[in-house]
Amino acid sequence: VQPLGVEWSRLLDQGFLGKWSCKDMPAQQGFYSSTIRPHLQESDRKRAFVIISDAFRYEAAKELTDSLNGRYRMNAALSTMLGVLPSYTALGMASLLPHGKLSYNDQGDVLVDDKPVGTTEARGKQLATAEGMACQAKDLRVMKLEDARAYTEGQRVVYIYHNVVDTGAET
């Protein structure tokens, strides 16, 4: 592990992350600015609901997308993105938020625009700068439809965080 760590450090010192890209695949850290912001700018009435899952199988996500598109007046989509490096959950979730800068503090916490975003509440504060909010899927899922609508009312973008491992079994 030590030789690998030394090599990663060398690459990082040489600016590797600034060159980390893949032709025709958007970078994860540009998600909000390249996907969400343009969608919202199409109309003052447009909204975006983003499911961020650390445990969702592709097949289950595809099934949800098909169901949403067939049942509701919305456009749900799945797409690929080139992940951030190093690849781990806290940095990945932070990179999806609206931001100007991603960084770390001395304790190793991921910062978005110099603010910690390690909790749903902190991510919600960052999303509030873009007329948005953050919530947990488990909390939203138990609400009645009217209550969920009232909970998200006035929000242009809602990030829904999901972290329950999907086994493929009915729940």
Side-chain angles (χ1 to χ4, degrees):
V1 173
Q2 184 179 7
L4 184 58
V6 169
E7 184 61 18
W8 266 111
S9 292
R10 184 186 67 73
L11 289 170
L12 293 174
D13 290 343
Q14 294 176 353
F16 174 73
L17 290 183
K19 300 173 190 167
W20 177 245
S21 65
C22 185
K23 187 177 186 245
D24 299 326
M25 187 179 297
Q28 185 173 351
Q29 62 269 28
F31 171 73
Y32 186 87
S33 62
S34 67
T35 304
I36 302 302
R37 184 178 292 131
H39 172 76
L40 296 176
Q41 288 174 338
E42 290 176 9
S43 164
D44 289 343
R45 296 187 53 152
K46 288 269 189 169
R47 297 176 76 192
F49 289 81
V50 179
I51 300 171
I52 299 171
S53 180
D54 196 30
F56 217 22
R57 289 181 304 114
Y58 173 81
E59 294 82 3
K62 175 74 170 112
E63 185 177 318
L64 175 61
T65 301
D66 293 345
S67 174
L68 290 171
N69 284 331
R71 195 180 316 166
Y72 303 102
R73 295 178 306 163
M74 65 176 63
N75 179 24
L78 290 175
S79 61
T80 58
M81 290 185 292
L82 182 64
V84 293
L85 289 179
S87 177
Y88 67 101
T89 300
L91 180 58
M93 286 197 295
S95 70
L96 297 169
L97 294 167
H99 66 274
K101 177 176 86 168
L102 295 172
S103 60
Y104 296 94
N105 63 16
D106 291 339
Q107 292 76 41
D109 300 320
V110 179
L111 305 177
V112 168
D113 299 334
D114 298 320
K115 294 176 234 123
V117 290
T119 65
T120 304
E121 181 182 354
R123 291 188 291 268
K125 286 179 183 177
Q126 183 65 24
L127 283 162
T129 66
E131 299 179 79
M133 65 174 286
C135 63
Q136 290 289 324
K138 64 182 173 140
D139 298 331
L140 198 57
R141 189 172 186 191
V142 297
M143 292 181 190
K144 292 180 181 174
L145 182 59
E146 309 83 47
D147 295 335
R149 283 185 176 148
Y151 181 61
T152 62
E153 186 176 351
Q155 304 299 321
R156 302 267 332 265
V157 61
V158 178
Y159 277 35
I160 304 166
Y161 290 90
H162 169 268
N163 65 356
V164 176
V165 174
D166 172 35
T167 62
E170 288 290 321
T171 56

